[in-house]
Structures are given as structure tokens and as C-alpha cells.
Amino acid sequence: MRKVVYPKPGGVASIEIVEVEDPVPGAGEVCVRVHRAGVNFAELMMRQGLYGSSPNFPFTPGYETSGVVIEIGEGVSSVNEGDRVLAMTGFGGYSEKVVLPESRVFAIPESISFDQAAAIPVTYGTAYHMLVHLGNLTKGESVLIHHAAGGVGTAVAQICEAYGASLVIGTASSPKSDFVESLGMRFVDRDNEDFVQVSKEMTGGKGVHHAIDPVGGGHLARSYKAMRKGGKLYYFGASAAVKGQNRSRMAELSMWWGMPRFDPLSLMSSNKAVFGVHMGLLEDQSIFQGHLEALSKLLLEGKIDPIIDSVWRFEKIADAQMHMHNRRNKGKIILDFS
Ligand SMILES: NC(=O)c1ccc[n+]([C@@H]2O[C@H](COP(=O)([O-])OP(=O)(O)OC[C@H]3O[C@@H](n4cnc5c(N)ncnc54)[C@H](OP(=O)(O)O)[C@@H]3O)[C@@H](O)[C@H]2O)c1
């Protein structure tokens, strides 16, 4: 079988596709023939050596896949050979076949496509975790989201609609304005508009109830300012540290330098909350499994439906990642391993 490998930190030219022996499941494990894998911004950061919790190089990235179970190990009872599944690989998902513990594999009904199944776990899981699990998003509340046209951004927009948010302000690059507005968000041009000012103007001067920031640095401080008293800020990414396809120490330093330090006394007196969110490092995986169950229900009820920007053959992985580096994606990018 073939799989994608990051041999060393680098740009997309460093990516390799290698031929290896087929993996064999041990006791309690499942082998999945992968059909689709989701592409995540974090996997671009890992390639640059910018992601603290990734394995040592060389390694195969790939958080999430969908496919068919082709072999089960001794003692496996929740899935059978031939089942269509979603697999939460964590790492290693950019492969034609993966072996993983049974607890990370979930059967999916015929009505859910492989594209949808590979597009849901990371983006919707993260959006749901922040807004519903931590934030108790309530009808009539307002939300600010950045990279609004991307995987997590489009998931946030749909979850906001499903839970009755009255206002979603979405920042993105200017060519995506129509797309962002088509999802019911108030578009803010990330380069030419001040999202703090727009957030205040749109909420009678108070600010938003929920501000979701995957950027970091001084941008995070501005997201905090866009919140009202009693508001909740979620910090969950470091896109400010990424400049182009190779690692930039200057961008990293500048992000760290600009990071706000929150004062507990001022959080207390304004009833504000700041959450740090890293789904890959959730200790209690049952929380994530609960999110997946809730999300499949929302999907089957037609309340969410992942927006697929594009599907690329996995041999074109470099082009697929450049599409994201160049900020072109509107929704989720998917790799085809079928
Ligand atoms: N902590 C967690 O558990 C967790 C889980 C999932 C995602 N995340 C974070 O959430 C963010 C979105 O992830 P995603 O996978 O859904 O990606 P995405 O938003 O689909 O794609 C990236 C988009 O980010 C914007 N962007 C901002 N800075 C960029 C840069 N330096 N280089 C390229 N694009 C940049 C671009 O859109 P615009 O220019 O239009 O803004 C681009 O289209 C990422 O920061 C990711 O690390 C965190």
C-alpha cells in the first residue's frame, strides 16, 4: 500500500509518497481501507515542524479518514468487515490502509457519504466542542469567527444556525465575501476592516457573546476586545505563525510577542471566560465520541452538511496543501485514497 510521508520539516516539495507493507490488525484493532481523508490547517503546520504534539519526523499525517473495514483483530465486536466507517486516526490517516484501535472507528450509515464522513470530525467536532459543550451557545446570541470560509469556519456557521444564534460575524479574505454571506454571516474583510469595531457596531456597542480565535498574537487580544461583558473567548490555533509554506521564525516570534496575558481580576470583574482548546490533546476521548454522536444526529436531521471545497487524488497532496496555503479554500479540502 502507499502512504504520504513528511520526511523532515519543509515546504510541500518535501512531501513523499512511499510504498510499504500492508498493516495487519492486532487484538482489539481494525484495518480500514481508506477512501477519503480530510485536510486540516494543522497538517500544514506539522509539515513545517510547527506543531508541538506531532510525532518525530519522519511521520504520516492525517487526523481523520473514512473508508471500509477490511480486517478485524481478535476481540473486535463493534464493527465488522465490510462496514463503512469514519476513523479518527490522529496521525497516519493519509494512507491507503490504516490500522487503529476499535474505539477510534465508528460505523456510518449508507446515507452519509465518505466525503461527508471525512469532513466532519475535526472541523465540526472542534466547533461543537467550543460553542455547544464549553460555551452553551443559546438562541439569540452573537458569535465572531475568523477564517470564516474555511473548514472550521463553515462548521461554526452551520452550528450557529442550528442553535439559533442571531448574529455571526465572519472574517476572511476579500474574494470570499459572497461565500461567507451566503452562509448567513456578516462578512468582515480581514485585511481592510476592523472586526472589533464591526462587532461593537452590530451589537449596540456591547460586543459579541462568543469570540473564536485560531490566529493568536495581537489578533487574539483584539478578539478579546470584541467581546461583551459575560462573553467567552476560545483560543484554538496559531495561524499567525504561518507565513507561506516554509517555517518562519520571525512570524513565530511576532505571534508570541503579541500574545495577550489575561488578568484574572479583570476576567472576574467582567464575568468573561477564556478557553484554550486543543481537540488532539483531549484527555477524555469519550467527550469527543459524544460530540460525534450529536453531530451525526444533526447531519441526519439535515441541520448540518459539510461544505466540500474540493476533492484531490492523494498523489496531488502538494497541490491540495498549496490550495490551502494560498487561502483559496471555501470549505473543506478532501484527499481521495480510493
Ligand atoms: N485547536 C484545535 O483543536 C483545532 C482544531 C481544528 C482547527 N484548528 C485551527 O483552526 C484554524 C482553521 O483550521 P481549518 O483546518 O478549518 O483550516 P481552513 O480555515 O479551512 O483553511 C485555512 C484558511 O485560513 C486562512 N488563513 C489564515 N492565515 C493563514 C495562513 N498563514 N496561511 C494560509 N491560510 C491562512 C485562509 O483563509 P482567509 O484568508 O480567508 O482567512 C485559509 O483559507 C487553523 O488555525 C487550525 O489550526 C484548531
Side-chain angles (χ1 to χ4, degrees):
M1 69 140 196
R2 289 174 300 162
K3 64 179 187 177
V4 172
V5 171
Y6 290 168
K8 55 182 192 295
V12 292
S14 68
I15 302 175
E16 291 175 0
I17 293 177
V18 299
E19 185 87 41
V20 293
E21 291 283 306
D22 281 6
V24 179
E29 291 182 332
V30 171
C31 182
V32 176
R33 173 68 181 91
V34 174
H35 284 240
R36 297 286 192 269
V39 175
N40 296 287
F41 192 77
E43 291 148 4
L44 277 56
M45 297 181 73
M46 286 172 202
R47 196 197 62 241
Q48 300 183 348
L50 263 177
Y51 206 77
S53 57
S54 52
N56 292 332
F57 289 91
F59 70 94
T60 296
Y63 265 123
E64 54 194 347
T65 62
S66 58
V68 175
V69 174
I70 52 170
E71 198 178 344
I72 57 173
E74 201 187 314
V76 169
S77 57
S78 59
V79 287
N80 287 309
E81 287 172 18
D83 281 356
R84 302 169 76 254
V85 291
L86 172 169
M88 281 306 299
T89 36
F91 298 96
Y94 286 12
S95 307
E96 286 180 316
K97 292 175 188 170
V98 285
V99 161
L100 66 173
E102 157 180 37
S103 60
R104 301 185 73 94
V105 176
F106 307 90
I108 52 169
E110 284 295 329
S111 55
I112 298 183
S113 71
F114 287 131
D115 285 343
Q116 288 174 311
I120 283 193
V122 175
T123 50
Y124 285 81
T126 307
Y128 186 91
H129 184 74
M130 293 189 285
L131 282 171
V132 182
H133 179 77
L134 298 174
N136 188 29
L137 175 64
T138 305
K139 199 166 185 237
E141 289 187 330
S142 48
V143 177
L144 167 68
I145 173 73
H146 306 288
H147 309 346
V152 176
T154 51
V156 162
Q158 292 185 359
I159 285 173
C160 283
E161 192 175 349
Y163 282 81
S166 60
L167 170 69
V168 185
I169 299 170
T171 76
S173 339
S174 54
K176 298 174 185 167
S177 61
D178 289 350
F179 174 73
V180 169
E181 278 172 4
S182 74
L183 297 171
M185 295 185 261
R186 158 62 161 93
F187 172 77
V188 175
D189 181 337
R190 58 173 283 154
D191 300 311
N192 298 306
E193 268 185 285
D194 177 355
F195 66 80
V196 179
Q197 194 186 337
V198 175
S199 298
K200 298 279 181 190
E201 277 169 12
M202 301 283 297
T203 55
K206 288 185 169 175
V208 295
H209 293 88
H210 305 265
I212 307 182
D213 196 296
V215 183
H219 195 275
L220 182 64
R222 289 172 61 222
S223 290
Y224 183 79
K225 276 195 193 147
M227 266 197 315
R228 65 176 57 205
K229 285 188 176 165
K232 293 165 188 161
L233 173 67
Y234 312 81
Y235 175 55
F236 77 116
S239 63
V242 179
K243 286 267 175 294
Q245 46 160 326
N246 284 299
R247 187 168 186 170
S248 157
R249 300 275 178 193
M250 278 306 288
E252 283 170 63
L253 267 178
S254 148
M255 184 190 78
W256 279 113
W257 189 252
M259 279 285 194
R261 269 66 181 167
F262 297 104
D263 168 16
L265 283 175
S266 99
L267 287 173
M268 179 177 74
S269 53
S270 56
N271 281 293
K272 287 178 180 167
V274 180
F275 295 100
V277 172
H278 191 318
M279 299 307 286
L281 296 178
L282 260 191
E283 293 220 334
D284 181 356
Q285 279 300 316
S286 69
I287 294 177
F288 190 75
Q289 284 164 12
H291 297 352
L292 278 184
E293 278 160 30
L295 288 164
S296 0
K297 193 161 171 279
L298 288 172
L299 181 68
L300 293 171
E301 288 168 357
K303 292 187 176 155
I304 59 169
D305 186 11
I307 297 173
I308 310 293
D309 169 83
S310 47
V311 181
W312 306 68
R313 277 294 305 169
F314 77 94
E315 295 89 345
K316 295 278 182 197
I317 170 73
D319 294 341
Q321 289 198 350
M322 280 314 294
H323 187 62
M324 189 178 264
H325 270 304
N326 291 332
R327 303 172 178 238
R328 300 244 164 80
N329 63 304
K330 294 177 184 158
K332 186 86 181 175
I333 299 175
I334 298 283
L335 296 175
D336 177 2
F337 284 87
S338 64

